[in-house]
Amino acid sequence: ANFALLDSVGNCLDMDSIMAYTESTDTIAVFNTGCDTLFIESLQFSSSAFDSAYAPNYILPGDTEGVVVRFAPSFSVAITTTVTGTVTVHTNDNTVDSVICLQGKVFPQPVIFIDPDSFDITLNCSDTLHDTITIHNTGLGTLIYNIDTMDYSAVFDGNWDYIYKNSPTLPT
């Protein structure tokens, strides 16, 4: 008798650590070790943080395909949290449905707040001006930022702000 047989590598997929409201993907290798075409009828995820980015409709005998799992936690966390779940792969393999555990870590996101959000300044040839921009992190994650000053060099030290055009070094 010809039959399809599902086999997967390992019993758990450990996803990347990612920031809340972002996503990553990883692949579960699925083998057809049987003598007939293996049809993937459906995938059932136990947690909404996981879903399928791609799954083949079928796998030929002796072949291997990848089921791409997306980890996309769409909720806020106050501390780094491990999210767990399972995916059940339903196929025409009558022996058993394959259940694979899933896990990933989600960490809090930063939220940048800038005050003011822009400057409208006109300077004459020899004018100088000192102004203040305040950058706040209202989120719970670590905020890392760069300030693009185009062809200017900039340093922000908390006391004085310097901006000099095309200067490789800044005054101290």
Side-chain angles (χ1 to χ4, degrees):
N2 290 338
F3 61 93
L5 183 63
L6 170 71
D7 189 17
S8 62
V9 174
N11 57 359
C12 203
L13 183 64
D14 193 5
M15 305 292 289
D16 291 333
S17 295
I18 62 172
M19 183 171 46
Y21 300 103
T22 62
E23 66 180 51
S24 71
T25 58
D26 206 343
T27 303
I28 300 169
V30 180
F31 302 95
N32 180 357
T33 57
C35 303
D36 198 359
T37 301
L38 177 71
F39 290 95
I40 297 181
E41 296 168 349
S42 67
L43 301 172
Q44 182 179 4
F45 291 87
S46 66
S47 167
S48 63
F50 303 96
D51 69 357
S52 173
Y54 170 78
N57 293 323
Y58 61 89
I59 303 171
L60 297 174
D63 206 356
T64 303
E65 291 283 345
V67 172
V68 181
V69 175
R70 178 180 15 248
F71 177 45
S74 59
F75 48 84
S76 292
V77 294
I79 59 171
T80 299
T81 304
T82 299
V83 179
T84 60
T86 60
V87 57
T88 303
V89 182
H90 300 281
T91 70
N92 61 324
D93 174 359
N94 294 327
T95 57
V96 66
D97 287 328
S98 187
V99 178
I100 301 163
C101 73
L102 307 169
Q103 66 179 25
K105 289 188 179 179
V106 57
F107 54 87
Q109 77 275 18
V111 178
I112 191 168
F113 175 76
I114 301 170
D115 185 35
D117 61 1
S118 64
F119 292 110
D120 185 14
I121 299 170
T122 303
L123 298 175
N124 292 321
C125 184
S126 61
D127 288 349
T128 61
L129 173 74
H130 291 275
D131 210 336
T132 302
I133 185 169
T134 305
I135 299 172
H136 301 278
N137 178 9
T138 59
L140 298 173
T142 301
L143 176 65
I144 300 169
Y145 63 93
N146 294 316
I147 298 177
D148 181 3
T149 59
M150 298 172 132
D151 60 346
Y152 291 81
S153 298
V155 64
F156 299 91
D157 64 6
N159 295 316
W160 298 98
D161 298 334
Y162 301 102
I163 299 179
Y164 290 92
K165 185 173 184 174
N166 297 324
S167 173
T169 60
L170 299 170
T172 56

